[in-house]
């Protein structure tokens, strides 16, 4: 189609970009595969709750175990489960530190601690003895305040300190 301006393939008033045309062509060719990869990643928990997101850690002597979601979304609730093997006559003290106070807002703690306070950048929960020996679990529900990687530390009674990370998507 000749338009009388020299280049027979170019339309008057249209400024074509070869890069944009090549990019559109690539999206038409591989777009469905790319979309399916995103959907598969989301379903498997790469962006929030799922197989790749669920994580747990234990101390070497198995006295403390923590279960959490490695990936989360900003302002969406996350659950943190801490299980402690405790002695019948001993207080259980949980100390959450690191970036926990800056990165998360605690919305609920179950069971409620007998004492709870903050000391600098640490949240301290104290549970009095229940008179029973065995596993004791605490569920902490939080909402992330800021996106990015947050490293939290957990110290329980005389057990060694544990550290874990969570990545929060905007």
């Amino acid at each position: 189609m000749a338009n009388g301006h020299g280049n027979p393939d170019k339309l008057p008033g249209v400024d074509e970009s070869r890069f944009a045309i090549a990019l559109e062509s690539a999206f038409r060719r591989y777009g469905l595969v790319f979309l399916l990869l995103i959907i598969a990643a989301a379903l498997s928990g790469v962006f929030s709750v799922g197989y790749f997101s669920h994580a747990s850690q234990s101390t070497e002597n198995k006295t403390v175990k923590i279960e959490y979601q490695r990936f989360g979304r900003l302002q969406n609730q996350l659950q943190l489960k801490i299980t402690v093997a405790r002695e019948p006559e001993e207080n259980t003290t949980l100390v959450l530190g690191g970036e926990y106070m800056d990165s998360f807002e605690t919305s609920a703690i179950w069971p409620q601690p007998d004492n709870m306070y903050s000391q600098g950048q640490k949240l301290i929960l104290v549970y009095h003895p229940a008179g029973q020996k065995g596993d004791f679990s605490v569920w902490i529900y939080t909402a992330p305040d800021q996106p990015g990687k947050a490293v939290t530390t957990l110290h329980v009674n005389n057990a060694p300190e544990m550290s874990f990370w969570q990545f929060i998507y905007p």
Side-chain angles (χ1 to χ4, degrees):
M1 154 169 129
N3 59 12
H5 291 13
N7 188 349
D9 293 332
K10 194 167 185 170
L11 295 174
V14 176
D15 186 22
E16 294 177 345
S17 167
R18 293 284 179 206
F19 174 75
I21 291 172
L23 185 65
E24 179 187 3
S25 174
F27 270 113
R28 285 180 188 242
R29 250 185 237 142
Y30 306 110
L32 179 63
V33 173
F34 184 68
L35 182 61
L36 291 175
L37 286 174
I38 289 174
I39 291 171
L43 290 175
S44 61
V46 173
F47 302 116
S48 63
V49 179
Y51 180 75
F52 291 114
S53 181
H54 183 78
S56 65
Q57 270 187 42
S58 296
T59 56
E60 288 181 18
N61 58 3
K62 307 289 186 208
T63 56
V64 179
K65 181 180 180 183
I66 184 167
E67 296 177 46
Y68 60 98
Q69 296 299 321
R70 185 164 290 163
F71 303 106
R73 299 219 11 127
L74 190 63
Q75 296 298 318
N76 282 1
Q77 187 167 293
L78 296 172
Q79 177 181 309
L80 180 67
K81 180 183 177 189
I82 303 167
T83 304
V84 179
R86 71 179 187 174
E87 297 299 320
E89 299 303 320
E90 182 179 298
N91 280 347
T92 302
T93 304
L94 309 174
V95 180
L96 289 162
E99 298 172 17
Y100 180 80
M101 295 288 277
D102 290 334
S103 301
F104 298 96
E105 181 180 325
T106 304
S107 57
I109 300 172
W110 189 86
Q112 287 289 318
D114 296 309
N115 258 340
M116 179 172 75
Y117 56 95
S118 63
Q119 188 175 45
Q121 291 298 97
K122 296 179 180 179
L123 176 65
I124 301 169
L125 310 171
V126 179
Y127 292 91
H128 296 305
Q132 296 176 341
K133 185 177 180 176
D135 288 350
F136 171 71
S137 294
V138 175
W139 286 266
I140 301 173
Y141 297 92
T142 62
D145 281 342
Q146 51 188 305
K149 184 178 178 182
V151 178
T152 301
T153 59
L154 172 67
H155 185 84
V156 180
N157 292 349
N158 298 325
E161 185 173 86
M162 299 170 62
S163 178
F164 62 95
W165 63 269
Q166 293 174 289
F167 188 82
I168 307 304
Y169 293 100

